[in-house]
Amino acid sequence: MFSLKNKKAVVTGGGSGIGRAIATILAKQDAEVHIIELGVAQAKDTLDEIKAAGKQAFSYACDVSDHNAVKAVFEQIGNINILVNNAGIAHIGKADTTDESDFDRVMRVNVKGIYNCLHAAIPQIRLAGGGVIINMASIAALVGLPDRFAYSTAKGAVKAMTMSVAKDYIGENIRCNSISPARVHTPFVDGFLQKNYPDNIPEMFDKLSKTQPIGRMARPEEIGALALYLCSDEAAFITGCDYPIDGGFTTLNN
Ligand SMILES: NC(=O)c1ccc[n+]([C@@H]2O[C@H](COP(=O)([O-])OP(=O)(O)OC[C@H]3O[C@@H](n4cnc5c(N)ncnc54)[C@H](O)[C@@H]3O)[C@@H](O)[C@H]2O)c1
């Protein structure tokens, strides 16, 4: 079960956190993994880990928000079977405290970045005879979170894009689903705490952990395992769905 032998997978933002866990588990299951990353050093760390396990991986320095650069990278990679749109950035603010430049930046990376990759990858997936797309959404797409105006807007779009793509390509053997994690302990969370709560990191870490009814944050590997399932042929009947993986956040926080 869950073999990805002879599959070629692209993971965006595969140099860190959730993307790294996904790239690593897909490679472990024998997919040939291609990482699209802004951070060259992070991408190399993931490649080293995958290669040390005797598996195949490649990386490309690329900003997912750059339409032409993304197109060029996908042309270089060629036909693919799996696309994981994981790269994303965070932002804190309400509608009246979010600057136009910050709003645009979050939309550029978290929404246009996914459009860019879909636009470039779908023809390559079609040439491969079909495949699977996973988009990284968030619980911010499902419930109202405080101070996450731009981020929630973007993740809501990711969830809607997922349904649109699932509908448009269902006849071409392309499945598309999204994953909506609550807090996952990654450099994304550490950076958030460092930037916004530099004076009380341990207290805030504990507070953020307890917002999940299960009492902790997720581990990136737990998101990786769900992504592997959705990418595998075992999930062949699943398309157009969003998968919360949230320690009870969206259903038990009452
Ligand atoms: N960590 C969480 O609690 C959490 C919860 C829900 C959803 N998510 C989502 O999961 C995804 C991954 O989050 P993470 O916590 O692993 O983040 P992370 O910051 O640890 O890793 C994100 C990676 O994406 C790369 N990246 C950022 N912008 C890019 C761009 N423009 N082009 C190419 N690469 C780029 C970064 O270099 C980094 O390596 C994001 O979409 C995030 O919104 C995270």
Side-chain angles (χ1 to χ4, degrees):
M1 286 177 87
F2 311 122
S3 168
L4 299 179
K5 208 170 173 54
N6 300 322
K7 307 271 190 210
K8 208 164 161 182
V10 171
V11 181
T12 70
S16 172
I18 297 170
R20 182 171 180 164
I22 294 175
T24 307
I25 197 166
L26 298 190
K28 185 164 175 256
Q29 295 307 110
D30 291 323
E32 178 186 297
V33 171
H34 297 255
I35 293 170
I36 295 180
E37 240 308 334
L38 202 54
V40 174
Q42 291 101 304
K44 187 178 176 306
D45 287 346
T46 306
L47 287 196
D48 288 347
E49 187 181 341
I50 292 174
K51 286 180 180 166
K55 304 294 183 183
Q56 286 259 49
F58 306 85
S59 73
Y60 308 81
C62 175
D63 180 342
V64 293
S65 70
D66 182 335
H67 189 77
N68 291 329
V70 167
K71 199 161 173 254
V73 166
F74 276 94
E75 275 165 10
Q76 206 182 329
I77 297 171
N79 296 4
I80 61 166
N81 310 97
I82 295 167
L83 168 65
V84 182
N85 279 314
N86 162 79
I89 54 173
H91 182 260
I92 304 296
K94 305 182 201 307
D96 67 328
T97 61
T98 299
D99 289 346
E100 185 187 8
S101 61
D102 284 338
F103 186 83
D104 287 346
R105 187 169 51 86
V106 172
M107 291 305 132
R108 236 178 11 253
V109 177
N110 292 7
V111 179
K112 191 177 171 212
I114 293 192
Y115 151 70
N116 286 340
C117 292
L118 291 168
H119 186 79
I122 286 170
Q124 310 282 28
I125 298 176
R126 187 182 281 130
L127 286 173
V132 188
I133 297 167
I134 294 179
N135 298 324
M136 200 53 63
S138 160
I139 51 159
L142 308 176
V143 295
L145 298 180
D147 284 315
R148 297 291 186 288
F149 175 71
Y151 187 73
S152 300
T153 307
K155 293 301 186 181
V158 173
K159 184 170 180 286
M161 279 194 278
T162 300
M163 292 187 285
S164 164
V165 168
K167 185 83 174 171
D168 282 340
Y169 303 99
I170 196 163
E172 296 189 74
N173 194 30
I174 299 176
R175 299 189 291 109
C176 183
N177 296 294
S178 56
I179 295 178
S180 284
R183 273 191 197 90
V184 186
H185 187 200
T186 67
F188 185 91
V189 170
D190 293 332
F192 164 81
L193 290 174
Q194 191 67 53
K195 183 166 173 227
N196 297 287
Y197 306 97
D199 300 329
N200 55 344
I201 290 177
E203 296 94 300
M204 281 310 294
F205 188 90
D206 191 47
K207 194 173 164 208
L208 294 185
S209 298
K210 290 189 174 135
T211 54
Q212 282 71 230
I214 222 163
R216 65 172 175 87
M217 298 186 197
R219 292 188 299 275
E221 296 70 30
E222 292 171 316
I223 316 303
L226 175 57
L228 168 63
Y229 170 61
L230 291 173
C231 287
S232 72
D233 290 343
E234 280 68 28
F237 201 53
I238 302 178
T239 192
C241 283
D242 179 65
Y243 280 77
I245 174 163
D246 65 3
F249 189 97
T250 52
T251 46
L252 308 180
N253 257 335
N254 50 30

